[in-house]
Amino acid sequence: MGLNSERLCPIANAAPEQPITPVSRQAIGLAADAFVITLVSRAIPEKGWAIAIEAVRLARQRSGRDIQLLLVGDGPAAAGLRQRHQQERHLHFLGLQPDSRAYFATADLGLLPTYFSCESQPLTLIECLQAGRPYLASEIGEIKAMLSSPDGPAGMTIPLCNGKADAGAFAEAIVHYIQTPDLLLEQQSRCGAAAAKFSWQTMLQAYMDLYERALKQPLR
């Protein structure tokens, strides 16, 4: 846009902190030992719902594990996918929910195979971190930086392939998490520190610091 990058000041998004009560696995019909993945987003093709479904199908084949996918949200892609996959009992189309953190908290892993061209700082990623769960997502927008913590990433990113998310690559990552439980636990332990970057207090302080610096600059 012709702007001097030195005059730009990125300020992270934020989500309110509140108590989180995981949804009961039994209430959804999930086995206690299932590996549960939660995707929360608008149901548009670019957010990768179809890719997530294919990735989970492949991961189930390759790992032999009971992998369950919770799809939370609604949009133009939801009805067709629900109809097409209605016989697949490992897929749970849950529609809009008032608190997506509760569905992240009941899962082992958050997921977003997005290739949405305007992806920047997904609020659902912040909510997943606040729920204490690692996040597997496309390497797009600010997602990789969002997952950072002083001790390492609280999740994993996968580069796009020809402008789209690759179901096979996401399936491999899911299987890797299943076969390397220590990795999942290690990344889970980093979620709190990664989420702390997105508190209201941090965001408001960044705005205040920016305005204070601007007010001290001479008028031109």
Side-chain angles (χ1 to χ4, degrees):
M1 295 176 63
L3 299 174
N4 183 348
S5 61
E6 294 180 359
R7 300 190 65 191
L8 300 180
C9 179
I11 295 178
N13 212 333
E17 298 177 21
Q18 57 192 44
I20 299 171
T21 302
V23 175
S24 164
R25 288 193 170 197
Q26 185 177 10
I28 307 175
L30 307 175
D33 61 349
F35 189 86
V36 180
I37 299 172
T38 294
L39 189 161
V40 179
S41 79
R42 287 182 294 148
I44 59 175
E46 296 84 355
K47 289 289 185 175
W49 281 41
I51 294 166
I53 290 170
E54 176 63 10
V56 168
R57 184 189 70 80
L58 293 171
R60 284 170 62 90
Q61 288 181 347
R62 297 174 187 177
S63 68
R65 278 290 302 276
D66 176 18
I67 305 173
Q68 302 282 317
L69 176 61
L70 310 183
L71 294 148
V72 179
D74 204 357
L81 290 170
R82 188 184 295 110
Q83 177 68 25
R84 195 175 312 139
H85 298 282
Q86 59 182 324
Q87 301 301 322
E88 298 175 55
R89 300 304 179 194
H90 65 281
L91 302 177
H92 305 266
F93 293 87
L94 302 173
L96 294 172
Q97 297 295 331
D99 185 7
S100 58
R101 293 173 181 84
Y103 291 87
F104 280 125
T106 201
D108 299 284
L109 182 68
L111 177 66
L112 189 66
T114 176
Y115 56 98
F116 182 52
S117 61
C118 296
E119 201 72 75
S120 55
Q121 292 186 345
L123 283 173
T124 58
L125 190 162
I126 301 173
E127 292 170 343
C128 186
L129 294 176
Q130 289 177 337
R133 296 296 180 268
Y135 202 73
L136 171 62
S138 304
E139 192 168 309
I140 187 173
E142 292 295 311
I143 288 177
K144 187 172 185 178
M146 293 175 75
L147 291 172
S148 67
S149 83
D151 297 320
M156 189 185 305
T157 57
I158 297 177
L160 297 180
C161 180
N162 297 321
K164 295 190 72 173
D166 182 71
F170 274 88
E172 288 180 13
I174 292 168
V175 172
H176 183 60
Y177 273 117
I178 290 171
Q179 296 177 344
T180 319
D182 287 349
L183 172 64
L184 194 70
L185 290 173
E186 184 179 24
Q187 292 188 350
Q188 185 173 324
S189 71
R190 300 169 183 164
C191 288
K197 303 193 298 288
F198 307 104
S199 70
W200 284 113
Q201 293 81 2
T202 299
M203 183 183 71
L204 290 171
Q205 188 61 54
Y207 274 108
M208 290 175 66
D209 292 345
L210 175 63
Y211 275 90
E212 286 178 3
R213 290 198 303 273
L215 289 168
K216 290 177 182 178
Q217 292 178 359
L219 295 175
R220 301 186 218 180

